[in-house]
Every structure is written in structure tokens, then in C-alpha cells.
């Protein structure tokens, strides 16, 4: 707010909230569809105001580390300069750095059905290859989103009660398929309404005709029945001859719409009345919701896991601080918006630790890397990378990065979506190993494909880490948890078809005290990887005594706690 993000407040200056994903406490707030963009823009303005230099157009492709006994420390980065890819140096740049705050986002390029912008890919693989431990990679967030223009269909998009329908692949045989999953109007309309602030698929919200039946129904239509699915804002849904309206709405839905002054005749009318910016967003991106349906899928939106960090967000690689979504801090059930908050909190904590280590007192308590050793290591690393790029541009066997990326995304969407089982993941792991082997021995057509080739390698390594982690977890679970069920999608679809209109119960593993950590052995050229279960750290319960805390703060003792 102080930087200029226009979060809404009332005439007394009170910032009001609302319920959102996995959060019953109404802690969410919004400045409209472009909230995260506004946050980014205002933060960027502040960076520019402070004259902090930005090295733009560089893509980090490797970490430079130095080992001293059992301690591995960051000493720099290797980046690809997209403006300087030439025959002499391939655009490689070596950046020496004693400290690195790593905010490169989650592995956005992994799934076919995805809400991430197409420009986003992720950089977990190169960090893990350098020896960074990952955690919680088993947990992701999935939900209903549009596919032509990628956007979460949460909040107002669901609360105005649009009509869901599916067709065959040619757009024929239109049917309101949700009527097979809900026996009467009130149950369907309420589930749709709740989907607004229960957007992520949640195995705990299937029983008792909960809102996640909608995600599962969409997934079954697309995956098991090979049909296309749409949201229609031009017409109201109808079930058992009852068309939705303010008069036929369940009490909780009707009251909400009336309070929001959204009482129009169609879902589009109600969306315009309730949230005009949400309506305009799609119109600006090529879809007029007053006139045409919107194709949708259950899409990957967020990886709750990432790289391991201490309470100061420091990796097992010393002075390397993963923050934001590439940090594995988001648990199994991530409250909506908390990734944005965590990105800022983690960055602040990392900055505090770095500032202390750079202070006179801090320097006397940390080992300073030898400058000559750092320089030599960087030169060796960039020479290795140069030789690698020369080799792949001259290999006779070629790989098509577009085809390779599509295969990764198909595989991950098929086995690591909202329905998972050990057999399919084991098969995918074998395919991933073969793909990595082929990637290693294949080259590219020209230098323009270098970036895509390296990004695919990162995604293959990340995929492998996620598959191995998932196997380690599934072998311990007694049911689904978070955003995935355990089973086979064909069996689940058959179960629904045999029990149309009846409540179905699923097995949920409520144990949330165990997550999975993963690491590649950076000295192992095969990069097989290993995963193991760990107990989550409890939230500390402390009775702080002011004088004691003040003394530890003054003397820098707080920075020794990890």
C-alpha cells in the first residue's frame, strides 16, 4: 500500500478481507485481476527509485559453488545473454557473487494444462543439479482455469453461477454434465458458489457433494471421456428442470449476490455487476463472455514445494537464498495469496541475514571465500559450459526442443495431476530417464535453440525430482491428500457413472506431519536422485522475555539460529 498498490479500504481506512483458497478467516484482499502485476510494478518502481542496478536480458543457466569440507557455498552464477549469442562465447556471462537471493519462480513449464503464463519456465533443476536440497515437491495446486487465455476462474467467475457443459471433440453433443454428479439444484448451485473461494482442488471437499466434485467432474470429462469442457456465461445452469436465478438460489448464494448487487438475468450480467474488471479482462484478451463460451480445464497453478530453506530462507548451499515460489515453504494446503506474501517475507529475511554477514560483526563470524579460489572456480565452470554448448551445436543427432517440451508436459499432466498412482509414476520415471539420456547425447540445429535446450534439461531434472518424491510419499500414504487423489482415473470415472447422483466418499490421508526431501548428488554424473521422508518443523511456541531477546538481537545471536 505504501508503494502504491491500490488495495481497497472503507471510509475509515479499514482494509476489508474475504475468504479465499484454503482460508476460512477472510484474510484475502485484492486490487482486481492484476493485483500481482501491480505489486510487481510498484516494487520495480522502488528498485529504480533506489538506483539498484538491473542486469536485464540475462537467463541464469547454472550456479557456481565452492566446496570446503562438508560445506558448499555459492560463489556466482552463469547466465545466458539473449542479446549476445554469438560464435565466440554463445552469450555466456559469469557473475561473481558472494550472496544470491534466488527468486526465479516455480517450475511453470512442466504441465500441459497450466495457468502459468507461457513465458514462465522455472529454474529448480539447475539449483538441484548444483546440490541444493528440495522439499515438498509432491504438493501442487490445481484448479479450474481457462485454456485459450490462461487465467484462474475463481472468485466472482464462479460465484455468479455460470453454466458448465461439455461437447465431443468436434463441438457437438452438448450436455450439462454436472447434473450427473449432483442430485438436486441446491447442492449443485451451492457447490458452484463455494468453488469461488474454494478454487483449488481439495480431496477434503469431495464428500457430501463438496465443491471439488466440480474439478473432478471436469477432469473426468476431459481425461477419461475425451470431451471438451466449457463455462457459459450467456445462460444459467439448469438441473431437474430448475434454472438458476436469484429466486431459485440457495439462501447463502442468493444473499451473497443480493449484497453484491449482482442480480442480473445471466451469469455475464451478474459478473459485470459484481466485478467489471474481471469481465473486461477476458474481453481484452479475445473472449466476450456475453456472447461466447470459455473453454476450460483443471490446470496446474502452483508448486507448493521447492528448494529447502532455513528460518532465514538459506539453502543447504551457504549464502544461497531461494525465495518466493521456488522456495519450498508453502505446505500441503496453501492459503490463497500467501505465495506473494512469502516472497516478500523470505526476501526480507534473506536480506537481514546477508546484511548481518556483511557487517563488521558478521564478517568476523563467517568464513570469507578466497577471492583467487572463487575466480578460478568461475573460470573453470564457464569453460565447461562453453565446451558443452559447442558440443551440442555440432552433434549429428538432433533433438527438437518443442517436441521434447510437449512430451514432458504430456507426461506430467497424465501422472502428476489430481489423480496419481504408483504404477503410472514408475512408468513415467522410466520414460523420464530415457528422455534425459536422449537429451544428453543429442544436439540442436542452431544457436537459437540453446535457451530452449537448457530449459528442457532443467524441466527434465525437476520432473525427475518430483516423480521420485511422489513415489516416496505414495508408498506411505493411506489415501489422497492436498490436491491429489490416489487411484486410477478410469476406475474413478466408472464409480461415478455407476452411482449417478449419489454421494461418493474418497479416502483421505489426514496426516500432514510428514513431507519429502530430495537431492541430487552433484558428484554423480547419472543424477539418479534420492528422496526421503522428514517430519515437518512445528511452529515454535516461545515465551519471549524482552531483555533476553533484545540482548540476542544486539549481539547478533539471532542469526545463529536456523
Amino acid at each position: 500500500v505504501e508503494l502504491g498498490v491500490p488495495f481497497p479500504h472503507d471510509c475509515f481506512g479499514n482494509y476489508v478481507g474475504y475468504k479465499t483458497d484454503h482460508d476460512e478467516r477472510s484474510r484475502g484482499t485484492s486490487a482486481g485481476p492484476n493485483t500481482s502485476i501491480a505489486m510487481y510494478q510498484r516494487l520495480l518502481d522502488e528498485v529504480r527509485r533506489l538506483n539498484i542496478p538491473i542486469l536485464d536480458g540475462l537467463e541464469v543457466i547454472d550456479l557456481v559453488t565452492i566446496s570446503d569440507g562438508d560445506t558448499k557455498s555459492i560463489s556466482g552464477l552463469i547466465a545466458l545473454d539473449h542479446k549476445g549469442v554469438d560464435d565466440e562465447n554463445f552469450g555466456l556471462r559469469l557473475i561473481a557473487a558472494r550472496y544470491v537471493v534466488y527468486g526465479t519462480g516455480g517450475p511453470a513449464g512442466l504441465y500441459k494444462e497450466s495457468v502459468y503464463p507461457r513465458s514462465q519456465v522455472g529454474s529448480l533443476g539447475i539449483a538441484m543439479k548444483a546440490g541444493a536440497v528440495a522439499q515438498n515437491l509432491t504438493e501442487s495446486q490445481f484448479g479450474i482455469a481457462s485454456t485459450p487465455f490462461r487465467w484462474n476462474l475463481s472468485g466472482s467467475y464462479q460465484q455468479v453461477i455460470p453454466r458448465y457443459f461439455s461437447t465431443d471433440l468436434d463441438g457437438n453433443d452438448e450436455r450439462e454434465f454436472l447434473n450427473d454428479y449432483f442430485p438436486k439444484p441446491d447442492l449443485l448451485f451451492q457447490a458452484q458458489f463455494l468453488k469461488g473461494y474454494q478454487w483449488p482442488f481439495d480431496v477434503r471437499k469431495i464428500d457430501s457433494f463438496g465443491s471439488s466434485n466440480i474439478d473432478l467432474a471436469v477432469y473426468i470429462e476431459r481425461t477419461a471421456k475425451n470431451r471438451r469442457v466449457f463455462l457459459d456465461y450467456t445462460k444459467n445452469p439448469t438441473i431437474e428442470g430448475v434454472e438458476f436465478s436469484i429466486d431459485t438460489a440457495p439462501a447463502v448464494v442468493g444473499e451473497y449476490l443480493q449484497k453484491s448487487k449482482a442480480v442480473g438475468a445471466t451469469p455475464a450480467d451478474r459478473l459485470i455487476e459484481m466485478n467489471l474488471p474481471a469481465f473486461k479482462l477476458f474481453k481484452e484478451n479475445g473472449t466476450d463472455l456475453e456472447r461466447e463460451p470459455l473453454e476450460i480445464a483443471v490446470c496446474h497453478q502452483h508448486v507448493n514445494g521447492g528448494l529447502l530453506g532455513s528460518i532465514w530462507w538459506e539453502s543447504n548451499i551457504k549464502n544461497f537464498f531461494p525465495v518466493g515460489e521456488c522456495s519450498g515453504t508453502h505446505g500441503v494446503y496453501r492459503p490463497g495469496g500467501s505465495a506473494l506474501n512469502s516472497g516478500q517475507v523470505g526476501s526480507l529475511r534473506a536480506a537481514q541475514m546477508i546484511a548481518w554477514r556483511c557487517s563488521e560483526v558478521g564478517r568476523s563470524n563467517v568464513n570469507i571465500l578466497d577471492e583467487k579460489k572463487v575466480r578460478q572456480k568461475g573460470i573453470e565452470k564457464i569453460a565447461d559450459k562453453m565446451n558443452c554448448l559447442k558440443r551440442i551445436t555440432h552433434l549429428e543427432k538432433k533433438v527438437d526442443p518443442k517436441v521434447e517440451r510437449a512430451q514432458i508436459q504430456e507426461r506430467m499432466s497424465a501422472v502428476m495431476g489430481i489423480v496419481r498412482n504408483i504404477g503410472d509414476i514408475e512408468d513415467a520415471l522410466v520414460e523420464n530417464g530415457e528422455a534425459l539420456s536422449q537429451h544428453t547425447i543429442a544436439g540442436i540445429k542452431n544457436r537459437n535453440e540453446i535457451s530452449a535446450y537448457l530449459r528442457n534439461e532443467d524441466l527434465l531434472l525437476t520432473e525427475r525430482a518430483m516423480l521420485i518424491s511422489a513415489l516416496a510419499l505414495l508408498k506411505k500414504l493411506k489415501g489422497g491428500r492436498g490436491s491429489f487423489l490416489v487411484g486410477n482415473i478410469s476406475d474413478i470415472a466408472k464409480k461415478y457413472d455407476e452411482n449417478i447422483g449419489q454421494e461418493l466418499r474418497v479416502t483421505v490421508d489426514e496426516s500432514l506431519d510428514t513431507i519429502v526431501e530430495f537431492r541430487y548428488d552433484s558428484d554423480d554424473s547419472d543424477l539418479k536422485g534420492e528422496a526421503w521422508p522428514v517430519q515437518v518443523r512445528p511452529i515454535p511456541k516461545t515465551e519471549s522475555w524482552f531483555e533476553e531477546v533484545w540482548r540476542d538481537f544486539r549481539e547478533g545471536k539471532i542469526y545463529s539460529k536456523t
Side-chain angles (χ1 to χ4, degrees):
V1 170
E2 290 175 349
L3 294 178
V5 179
F7 288 115
H9 60 77
D10 64 16
C11 59
F12 299 106
N14 179 42
Y15 287 85
V16 294
Y18 58 85
K19 292 181 181 180
T20 184
D21 313 340
H22 301 311
D23 176 19
E24 296 295 325
R25 301 181 187 176
S26 298
R27 292 176 295 178
T29 188
S30 173
N34 293 320
T35 297
S36 58
I37 294 173
M39 292 170 70
Y40 157 76
Q41 289 172 334
R42 297 290 79 77
L43 288 165
L44 180 59
D45 289 345
E46 183 70 359
V47 166
R48 287 172 170 159
R49 187 184 72 80
L50 295 170
N51 293 317
I52 297 170
I54 298 173
L55 305 179
D56 204 5
L58 300 183
E59 178 181 356
V60 175
I61 60 172
D62 212 341
L63 309 186
V64 184
T65 62
I66 289 182
S67 295
D68 182 10
D70 294 333
T71 302
K72 180 175 284 191
S73 302
I74 194 75
S75 61
L77 303 167
I78 295 178
L80 193 67
D81 185 348
H82 289 284
K83 298 175 183 176
V85 179
D86 53 34
D87 288 326
E88 184 178 347
N89 58 29
F90 294 93
L92 291 177
R93 300 289 182 264
L94 175 61
I95 303 169
R98 291 188 184 279
Y99 304 93
V100 172
V101 180
Y102 199 66
T104 56
L110 271 178
Y111 284 78
K112 179 182 178 183
E113 285 86 17
S114 174
V115 191
Y116 287 100
R118 296 182 191 279
S119 61
Q120 308 291 307
V121 182
S123 302
L124 288 183
I126 61 175
M128 288 188 287
K129 188 178 180 181
V133 173
Q135 65 181 14
N136 213 38
L137 293 176
T138 56
E139 314 303 326
S140 285
Q141 194 158 283
F142 302 86
I144 292 166
S146 55
T147 53
F149 163 61
R150 295 181 171 191
W151 201 258
N152 290 6
L153 295 169
S154 60
S156 308
Y157 292 115
Q158 300 291 341
Q159 288 159 337
V160 299
I161 318 297
R163 184 176 76 109
Y164 282 77
F165 71 87
S166 69
T167 71
D168 62 23
L169 295 180
D170 296 321
N172 303 315
D173 186 29
E174 182 180 309
R175 56 186 299 269
E176 292 186 56
F177 62 94
L178 289 183
N179 295 359
D180 295 342
Y181 297 81
F182 296 88
K184 52 186 181 180
D186 274 12
L187 289 173
L188 172 59
F189 299 153
Q190 182 161 304
Q192 282 193 242
F193 172 76
L194 291 175
K195 180 52 49 187
Y197 62 85
Q198 295 177 355
W199 179 81
F201 177 71
D202 182 350
V203 294
R204 302 169 303 178
K205 295 182 175 70
I206 293 176
D207 290 356
S208 303
F209 300 104
S211 60
S212 285
N213 279 283
I214 296 174
D215 308 78
L216 194 53
V218 171
Y219 189 75
I220 288 171
E221 288 292 302
R222 284 178 54 92
T223 305
K225 300 184 178 181
N226 202 29
R227 292 171 66 82
R228 300 169 67 190
V229 182
F230 298 84
L231 267 186
D232 183 6
Y233 289 85
T234 70
K235 298 177 184 176
N236 294 305
T238 300
I239 176 172
E240 291 189 337
V242 177
E243 180 181 347
F244 178 83
S245 69
I246 296 298
D247 296 327
T248 62
V252 65
V253 182
E255 181 182 355
Y256 185 93
L257 292 175
Q258 286 172 339
K259 279 187 174 181
S260 302
K261 296 182 173 56
V263 295
T266 68
D269 292 338
R270 295 190 287 272
L271 184 62
I272 290 170
E273 292 164 347
M274 184 190 293
N275 191 343
L276 183 59
F279 171 81
K280 285 183 174 180
L281 178 76
F282 274 93
K283 196 162 189 178
E284 291 165 0
N285 286 277
T287 301
D288 186 345
L289 298 179
E290 286 187 290
R291 292 181 171 79
E292 56 190 314
L294 183 66
E295 190 156 9
I296 65 170
V298 178
C299 294
H300 184 242
Q301 186 250 359
H302 194 283
V303 175
N304 292 1
L307 302 177
L308 176 144
S310 70
I311 63 171
W312 299 99
W313 268 254
E314 184 174 23
S315 166
N316 59 295
I317 299 176
K318 190 169 184 174
N319 296 332
F320 180 65
F321 299 83
V323 300
E325 193 179 337
C326 72
S327 176
T329 59
H330 304 297
V332 176
Y333 297 102
R334 179 187 73 95
S338 65
L340 296 173
N341 298 335
S342 181
Q344 294 177 81
V345 171
S347 300
L348 176 61
R349 297 281 290 175
Q352 289 169 337
M353 176 60 85
I354 292 168
W356 180 77
R357 287 183 181 170
C358 289
S359 70
E360 185 175 347
V361 176
R363 281 200 303 273
S364 65
N365 285 275
V366 296
N367 293 325
I368 303 298
L369 295 175
D370 178 75
E371 286 287 349
K372 187 175 181 181
K373 192 175 180 181
V374 167
R375 179 182 293 274
Q376 185 59 35
K377 186 66 176 180
I379 291 171
E380 291 172 3
K381 190 80 173 179
I382 204 164
D384 288 344
K385 189 63 69 175
M386 188 89 70
N387 290 334
C388 171
L389 296 185
K390 286 179 180 177
R391 182 180 64 83
I392 65 172
T393 54
H394 289 90
L395 285 172
E396 192 171 318
K397 184 178 181 180
K398 308 294 182 186
V399 62
D400 186 333
K402 288 183 179 178
V403 172
E404 189 176 48
R405 177 78 59 85
Q407 290 170 342
I408 296 168
Q409 293 172 338
E410 290 271 3
R411 191 162 53 240
M412 284 293 287
S413 284
V415 307
M416 285 289 285
I418 65 171
V419 179
R420 303 177 186 177
N421 64 76
I422 288 175
D424 287 347
I425 292 175
E426 286 177 336
D427 291 343
L429 188 56
V430 172
E431 291 178 19
N432 167 272
E434 293 170 349
L436 263 171
S437 297
Q438 290 301 310
H439 180 89
T440 303
I441 63 174
I444 52 177
K445 293 178 183 177
N446 54 59
R447 293 189 303 276
N448 294 333
E449 293 182 341
I450 287 175
S451 177
Y453 177 91
L454 295 174
R455 287 179 176 185
N456 285 356
E457 183 175 301
D458 186 282
L459 290 175
L460 283 166
L461 289 171
T462 305
E463 178 194 22
R464 187 166 190 80
M466 291 178 72
L467 292 171
I468 292 173
S469 298
L471 284 177
L473 181 66
L474 285 175
K475 289 172 181 176
K476 289 189 168 294
L477 289 183
K478 296 180 176 64
R481 83 171 188 181
S483 227
F484 67 87
L485 285 170
V486 177
N488 182 288
I489 184 59
S490 299
D491 294 340
I492 293 172
K494 183 180 179 182
K495 192 175 178 181
Y496 269 101
D497 286 343
E498 291 174 349
N499 297 275
I500 286 178
Q502 297 181 41
E503 179 189 1
L504 291 183
R505 294 189 173 275
V506 298
T507 304
V508 177
D509 192 317
E510 297 287 359
S511 60
L512 303 177
D513 61 344
T514 302
I515 63 169
V516 174
E517 291 185 355
F518 174 90
R519 114 183 289 153
Y520 284 116
D521 185 344
S522 56
D523 297 325
D524 180 3
S525 59
D526 292 335
L527 291 173
K528 293 177 182 177
E530 61 173 333
W532 59 94
V534 296
Q535 294 291 299
V536 297
R537 291 175 294 195
I539 295 174
K541 294 180 180 179
T542 58
E543 295 183 7
S544 301
W545 190 255
F546 176 79
E547 279 77 10
E548 183 181 6
V549 172
W550 188 24
R551 183 177 58 251
D552 287 351
F553 176 78
R554 293 196 319 266
E555 296 174 0
K557 290 180 180 178
I558 61 170
Y559 297 105
S560 64
K561 303 181 188 300
T562 59

